[in-house]
Amino acid sequence: MQLEESSDAKKDASFICGVVEGFYGRPWTLDQRKDLFVKLQEWGMNSYLYAPKDDYKHRAYWRELYSVEEAEHLTLLITAAKECNITFIYALSPGLDITYSSSKEMVILKRKLDQVAQFGCTAFALLFDDIEAEMTESDKEAFQSFAQAQVSVTNEVYEHLNQPKDFLFCPTQYCASRAVPDVPNSEYLNTVGSKLAPGIDVMWTGPKVISRLITPASIDELTEVLRRKPVIWDNLHANDYDQKRIFLGPYTGRPSALLAKLKGVLTNPNCEYGANFVAIHTVAQWSKCSIEHAHDENQSSDAVSAVSADIKLEQESRNGRSDDEDVSLPMLVYHSRLALKKSLQLWLPEFKRTKSMWGPISKPHVNNVPPVTFNATGQSGVPCCSSGSLEEGGTSPGSAPMPTADHSSAEDANELASDATLTPCLVDGTESAGSSSMVSLDRVAECLEPMETVESTSSASSQAKNLDVEDVDDHDVKESPVKEEMPSAPEHEEGDIVMESERKEEEEDYQLSVDDLCLLCDLFYLPFEHGPQGMQLLQEFNWLKLNAHLVASNPFQPTAASSPEVKEWHERAQKFDAMSHALNKLFTRLTYINNRELLYELYPYVWDMRGVVALLNSYVKWLSFNQGSKQGFLSGEQEPWVFRGGLAADLQRLLPLESVNDLFLYKSPETPTRQVYTIRPYLASDERNVYQLCHRLHIARTGANFCDMEKIFHSYPNLLGDIHFGAFVTLSPEFCFVVEDDNSVVGFVAAAANAKDLQRQIRVAWVPEMQTKYPELFHGHSTEKSNIPEALKDLATKLQRLHTNDLPDALLTYHPSQLKMWLSDTVIDHSVSKRLLTCAVAALRAHGSSGCHVYDVDVCSMEFYSRLGFVELKNVTHDQDVMYFGRIF
């Protein structure tokens, strides 16, 4: 579908509009780039800037000529672009180590660009971004300033190439936060403006590396300095700085009035090619706005119309979208939500295109960005964060080191500025071991960009914070303290693994809809804001959490349960549950699409988001089943946008779990699966299934013959459940959770907030019941002539320990709660164990507990609990036969 062009756009054919491939990570394939060229042509765009960091000969080894194979590849790309009337702009970044005054370097630089010109390329760019603002001694003798050196080289290359029609220059000070001291007074930018050849266009990213808003006034100011209209290199949708985020929202924050003030716009989008449909298509829509509507004085009527559209769209988001109804605006007036709606209607058929994909899922990001050093006077802005109400503030010169990646730099995620102190951070934004940040969250939030982070200063779990989510290797995790080896059980349950042949798009229940895509985009919206449905998730859960006291048991107000406030709480809990089910439906439908390439790109993000929302939904159900939180939440009140990780991380931080970040580090499945595991509070009706699971897991653990063990336990069908689970579910049911697949219960966690009270209640109530139920196991075990089968003697010992062993005081000081967890090996999702534990820990934390222990850990379960962050507590008991594991939260 070709976008309608305004008469003004047709007049200005020199307006550059397209895509820059300039991120760190796995490059787009030849087929993807060809597909891009076709789409750019269909949508009325005209340019593609080639600057991928995977091409080392573009930057690190810029002097080296391309090999025969590389030359053939570039020639194919340039030819494909020409066939679609797309200008292929080849970019070179020599700034890392070029000697500007060296004639030999100039010969090498010209030779490299001449080679690319022989491939058929007619448009070029020289990029001097993210480099040290220093010159060699010989350069200092030849040039008066750094800017003059760059301009001299650029002008000479421009003349050598016969002044090509399209020639771009990216300055070292490429955004306002990097201008020294500011844009109007920057000696560097003023030199570029006065000395650079008039036919060369200058690139600019806006106020920041990733700019939330680019105003006409800021562009007027820049144009006066540069003496030409700038070309925007737009990083709004760039995601190479955060592996947890992908941006599917519409182009926004750029008033249409900019069209008359810019020479062009090139968007630098997500690393995942297929996920960029909305990002690129909405830029195309924006670029077709009528110039007559692009002036502030002419926008009063349009503004009213846009406000009306906003109201209508807000009502749609509250009451359900209506695709049959249209929100009308004057022709060629841009509105981001309407643009999103149009893009989604065109994106939907892409999911039905047949594209194959094999092998393990891996995100295209890189974990390590090539380092760059800086001098003490180097200029840089402080980069950011995640949410909608964040206002960008100015940054002082030298407040943070300059990032290494093009504008959306991953290195920005590695450096955090606090006053004059740099806090070392990992790629995922967490603080490195031994580092600390004393900077105020409120103060930092004023000047953050989307790759900047401020982690909680909590002292606990500092090791966990150093883990990169993509480095967590769960493949060899023993998912259960007992390995269930049922006869002829397949490694994966049938229907769990998504196979190429298992496509049910023809069936209505499995077809993706525009509503599904709208939810998808709202959950992964933009760097500075969540979409309406994403914000709704945050707001609903936060309200339910803060008002959990409404459903708390109050013996002095027996009629409170029927109050309007309680009714509202339960209604909103049901609403949150419906939102969770909608996300489950999106997840399942996504696994059935024909476009497996697109599935592989989106699956890790949707899988993670589904798990997070399901976890929160489990917690809401726990609040409902157990009459709320008795002591309230002790944390989780930080503003969400001062952290990294997007909506999923913002949702996670609303749980009272700031000290157990390791439980949120998951590695997504290497192969797409559609199995959905549901974690929920334990119900009385679950007892039979839980007891049966205990039975199967114990038999698998002993390694005994299944039939023989069945005969032995025939007279004691509930014994294993009573020993391992019965006391918890009877005396502390409010802290018990089960996990189930589509068929049955496949795991459980049982806990007690106060282990000492639990032990007392066991002796008073549970043990007498067990003595009545199993008299021969209590009284007959003391004699060697007992008729108890050998296989039951260890279990009889465990029963007797229930009323003979005391918990050490040293254990209860820091680990006052007790916990037990079992999970079937049929669970193929390695995050389930962490999510199940998270539910229990959140419930315990909400009741004031600060740590828990596992009693009587054996060799089979040591690794399982260790993987979940438990450590052996060696000095809490003198009993060599009993082993305790614990963790603090």
Side-chain angles (χ1 to χ4, degrees), residues 582 606 806:
V606 180
D806 289 323

Side-chain angles (χ1 to χ4, degrees), residues 213-216 254-261 286 289-308 329-335:
L213 178 67
I214 301 177
T215 64
R254 284 79 175 127
S256 57
L258 289 176
L259 282 168
K261 301 176 183 293
W286 176 86
C289 291
S290 176
I291 299 299
E292 68 184 56
H293 295 297
H295 299 282
D296 292 336
E297 62 268 23
N298 295 328
Q299 286 190 342
S300 57
S301 61
D302 296 342
V304 173
S305 300
V307 170
S308 299
L329 279 177
M331 184 67 67
L332 300 173
V333 174
Y334 183 79
H335 186 284

Side-chain angles (χ1 to χ4, degrees), residues 689-710:
N689 288 330
V690 169
Y691 273 38
Q692 288 178 347
L693 179 63
C694 286
H695 189 82
R696 293 199 310 271
L697 294 179
H698 179 84
I699 293 176
R701 178 181 194 171
T702 60
N705 182 276
F706 185 82
C707 294
D708 292 343
M709 294 299 291
E710 282 294 309

Side-chain angles (χ1 to χ4, degrees), residues 60-329:
Y61 301 100
W62 62 269
R63 296 177 181 83
E64 295 186 13
L65 296 177
Y66 287 106
S67 66
V68 174
E69 294 77 14
E70 293 165 340
E72 290 178 352
H73 180 82
L74 279 174
T75 302
L76 285 173
L77 276 180
I78 294 168
T79 301
K82 285 183 176 179
E83 291 173 351
C84 295
N85 295 317
I86 301 301
T87 301
F88 185 99
I89 307 171
Y90 175 83
L92 197 66
S93 298
L96 284 175
D97 57 1
I98 188 175
T99 302
Y100 297 95
S101 59
S102 170
S103 58
K104 182 178 179 181
E105 293 276 72
M106 288 303 301
V107 170
I108 294 173
L109 180 58
K110 293 174 184 177
R111 183 183 65 177
K112 178 66 170 284
L113 295 177
D114 284 340
Q115 183 195 30
V116 178
Q118 291 173 2
F119 303 156
C121 185
T122 59
F124 299 89
L126 286 182
L127 312 182
F128 294 98
D129 55 313
D130 302 335
I131 59 175
E132 293 188 52
E134 283 191 342
M135 296 187 293
T136 63
E137 290 301 321
S138 59
D139 286 341
K140 291 178 181 178
E141 294 176 3
F143 303 106
Q144 295 180 357
S145 68
F146 190 52
Q148 190 179 59
Q150 292 180 351
V151 167
S152 175
V153 168
T154 303
N155 285 341
E156 185 173 341
V157 170
Y158 177 65
E159 293 295 332
H160 173 77
L161 295 172
N162 298 318
Q163 299 184 5
K165 176 185 176 183
D166 296 295
F167 194 97
L168 303 177
F169 169 84
C170 182
T172 302
Q173 296 180 17
Y174 54 78
C175 62
S177 64
R178 302 205 186 289
V180 184
D182 52 35
V183 173
N185 299 299
S186 168
E187 180 183 348
Y188 175 92
L189 292 177
N190 276 281
T191 300
V192 170
S194 61
K195 302 296 184 182
L196 193 66
I200 301 175
D201 294 314
V202 179
M203 306 189 79
W204 187 253
T205 66
K208 299 288 185 68
V209 177
I210 299 176
S211 298
R212 180 173 182 262
L213 178 67
I214 301 177
T215 64
S218 69
I219 297 302
D220 287 340
E221 180 183 65
L222 177 67
T223 300
E224 185 176 349
V225 173
L226 295 181
R227 306 182 185 185
R228 71 203 76 201
K229 296 178 180 180
V231 175
I232 296 297
W233 171 313
D234 209 321
N235 290 309
L236 184 65
H237 289 90
N239 74 331
D240 59 353
Y241 53 84
D242 191 344
Q243 296 186 20
K244 297 284 287 183
R245 306 185 73 184
I246 193 168
F247 302 114
L248 307 179
Y251 194 63
T252 190
R254 284 79 175 127
S256 57
L258 289 176
L259 282 168
K261 301 176 183 293
L262 298 175
K263 180 60 184 295
V265 172
L266 294 170
T267 180
N268 180 33
N270 298 284
C271 300
E272 295 84 356
Y273 169 73
N276 290 318
F277 191 100
V278 170
I280 301 172
H281 189 264
T282 52
V283 170
Q285 293 184 64
W286 176 86
S287 71
K288 299 300 178 289
C289 291
S290 176
I291 299 299
E292 68 184 56
H293 295 297
H295 299 282
D296 292 336
E297 62 268 23
N298 295 328
Q299 286 190 342
S300 57
S301 61
D302 296 342
V304 173
S305 300
V307 170
S308 299
D310 277 330
I311 295 173
K312 177 67 177 295
L313 289 167
E314 184 177 355
Q315 290 174 343
E316 286 184 355
S317 67
R318 290 179 179 176
N319 304 324
R321 297 179 65 258
S322 174
D323 288 331
D324 297 330
E325 299 179 22
D326 191 18
V327 182
S328 60
L329 279 177

